[in-house]
Amino acid sequence: MKRTAFFISDGTGITAEALGQSLLAQFENVEFDKFTVPYIDTPEKARSVVKRINDVAKRDGLRPIIFDTIVNREIRELVSDVDGFMIDIFETFLDPLEKEMGSNSSYTVGKSHSIVNDRSYERRIHAVNFALDNDDGARTRHYDDADLILIGASRSGKTPTCLYLALHFGLKAANYPITEEDISDQKLPAALREHRSKLFGLTIDPERLSIIRNERRPNSRYSSLKQCREEIEEVELMYRRERVPYLNTTAYSVEEISTRIMVETGIERHAR
Amino acid sequence: MKRTAFFISDGTGITAEALGQSLLAQFENVEFDKFTVPYIDTPEKARSVVKRINDVAKRDGLRPIIFDTIVNREIRELVSDVDGFMIDIFETFLDPLEKEMGSNSSYTVGKSHSIVNDRSYERRIHAVNFALDNDDGARTRHYDDADLILIGASRSGKTPTCLYLALHFGLKAANYPITEEDISDQKLPAALREHRSKLFGLTIDPERLSIIRNERRPNSRYSSLKQCREEIEEVELMYRRERVPYLNTTAYSVEEISTRIMVETGIERHAR
């Protein structure tokens, strides 16, 4: 069975999409064709998306599932007049929240992913720059300033994780690759020793690492399963010996790796 | 008035947080203290978070607002036994969705931000590597492979936008800085001319640009308002002359810039 789903918003659509994905993922036996439609913020755009959805309903012979986070009431009403099954997030939750808060909502569009709080937004952008400047052990002199230093073998997931931690959470995360020389030394590289409390190790199954490395440098010693096995074994040994907390990233997305690192290190998500 | 809010999940908590932020942002006259609590996936953790919330309720003299995306029913029931105002997302929407779908949900935890669909996850990670390899005009020989090439004056927001487009949407976005030499040439740099259809320009108010540049190189010619004014004027002139679509990023977050670029260029968000 295949159903079409729309995530509709008068803002970026990021919230509608996240919620919709999360709910639809619970229906494993249904295949979904999913579309995100942001910035539906005029009656014209509302009518045009209604037409589009109605066309799909006709084509599919099944009404589409619609998740919407449209704040504007007039637009929301226009969109609700559609041949679809609506999950209307503001309609559902704003009323009870207003009662609880004893206060009216402001019905302002696009609050959640805008520069509401300038300082926390700036913190995120600074953190991205920090991650780029301190990627791959490029510099170690800014480690005093880091919230976190990710270490691990080449291609174990350090860089995307640092960037996600920066973009999403505003954390300054540096990363340092553990090389063969570091391993043969059998101890923490000198640059890391004085920042022990900020270290977090990543590891990964050698089989997966070998596949990832082969995409970069096919059929090299660097990518060989033998080399990956040796490096990972030594790196994990170092983590245990030096008591560096670590995580195997093989089965996890950057979102999950980032969240787990924050839980493990006790960095609280005190949301913006 | 100040209220405490909790975003609770047995997964990463990213969905609960996005939805909660989005709804709370509608109450502009209320100040919120917000906490995200992920991986509440055992009865012990559930009891511990209940205790934490009850303590806050006592301290505040007002019950906290709780947004939860806990999939597991047993855990959800434990958490709902709390002195708080619950917005329970799965409780609210799964039943009607099951009816509509004529199918039971699988109640599987942590679907939405896990590596559900391996291929689309890999695409995102490849896109991050692409963005890093093709940042700041470092290389132009991979532009054939790019979905998009962002251009603009130094510090107008290209790099964070490329990284967001990659991490969130899996788009391969390169970026190329328009330098003074390019401007004095009065035409598109040679490396860009053959990729005209992929170009998207960023611009920014000179006053804002000068502030951002001053953080990097204080009191330099590069950061001076005069220099920023001249560069932005010339860059915008080039966009118009060369018919490159462009966006002023001054008031927008990376989420909004990315979404607007995708709308403008017609790149559809066909969600994972």
Side-chain angles (χ1 to χ4, degrees), chain B:
Chain B
M1 188 170 63
K2 187 158 185 168
R3 301 279 302 238
T4 307
F6 288 93
F7 311 129
I8 303 179
S9 173
D10 39 12
T12 63
I14 291 169
T15 305
E17 190 178 281
L19 179 75
Q21 295 272 29
S22 165
L23 284 163
L24 294 183
Q26 295 301 317
F27 297 90
E28 287 182 315
N29 52 342
V30 186
E31 202 187 323
F32 294 100
D33 217 7
K34 305 174 214 163
F35 299 94
T36 305
V37 192
Y39 298 124
I40 299 301
D41 51 10
T42 65
E44 292 67 40
K45 290 189 195 166
R47 284 187 204 104
S48 138
V49 80
V50 164
K51 188 184 172 317
R52 180 175 169 191
I53 295 170
N54 287 343
D55 287 349
V56 168
K58 233 175 263 168
R59 188 202 62 196
D60 288 357
L62 270 171
R63 56 181 183 172
I65 318 287
I66 302 152
F67 297 85
D68 92 274
T69 53
I70 298 173
V71 177
N72 182 291
R73 284 192 176 192
E74 186 200 350
I75 308 283
R76 204 160 67 211
E77 269 167 34
L78 285 171
V79 170
S80 70
D81 187 23
V82 75
D83 187 13
F85 178 76
M86 297 280 291
I87 296 276
D88 188 329
I89 292 153
F90 280 76
E91 184 73 30
T92 309
F93 292 132
L94 270 188
D95 254 17
L97 273 172
E98 286 187 350
K99 287 209 185 77
E100 172 68 19
M101 233 79 85
S103 134
N104 290 330
S105 74
S106 51
Y107 290 102
T108 321
V109 176
K111 282 280 172 184
S112 51
H113 292 97
S114 67
I115 316 188
V116 182
N117 179 338
D118 239 7
R119 242 192 41 218
S120 98
Y121 181 70
E122 267 177 32
R123 220 179 100 221
R124 289 169 58 208
I125 297 302
H126 280 149
V128 170
N129 292 327
F130 185 90
L132 291 172
D133 290 346
N134 297 281
D135 185 38
D136 214 22
R139 287 171 211 164
T140 57
R141 66 174 190 275
H142 297 130
Y143 282 4
D144 278 340
D145 211 23
D147 294 312
L148 201 65
I149 304 162
L150 294 191
I151 64 178
S154 165
R155 298 278 130 186
S156 51
K158 300 184 299 300
T159 298
T161 305
C162 283
L163 290 170
Y164 190 85
L165 285 165
L167 260 174
H168 200 87
F169 300 115
L171 282 185
K172 288 193 210 160
N175 77 76
Y176 186 100
I178 305 289
T179 62
E180 280 191 270
E181 298 89 80
D182 295 326
I183 290 168
S184 63
D185 253 19
Q186 302 232 341
K187 52 188 180 185
L188 275 182
L192 300 179
R193 253 170 267 157
E194 52 182 316
H195 302 286
R196 194 178 281 270
S197 64
K198 294 181 180 176
L199 302 183
F200 194 94
L202 298 186
T203 186
I204 184 170
D205 293 352
E207 293 71 21
R208 178 86 194 121
L209 182 61
S210 172
I211 291 169
I212 295 171
R213 286 187 173 181
N214 259 303
E215 284 166 12
R216 279 252 145 167
R217 291 196 226 149
N219 306 315
S220 60
R221 176 172 164 278
Y222 166 80
S223 315
S224 70
L225 186 54
K226 178 171 176 295
Q227 175 70 16
C228 292
R229 275 200 183 123
E230 283 171 14
E231 280 188 41
I232 290 301
E233 191 179 336
E234 290 297 330
V235 161
E236 291 186 3
L237 204 65
M238 177 191 282
Y239 293 158
R240 286 192 292 266
R241 196 171 45 223
E242 301 279 352
R243 295 174 192 278
V244 174
Y246 70 97
L247 179 72
N248 185 322
T249 64
T250 311
Y252 295 136
S253 68
V254 284
E255 286 84 351
E256 290 171 308
I257 300 168
S258 302
T259 305
R260 283 178 192 277
I261 289 172
M262 291 174 77
V263 170
E264 293 273 325
T265 56
I267 299 176
E268 173 132 67
R269 267 151 75 183
H270 198 131
R272 300 158 256 156

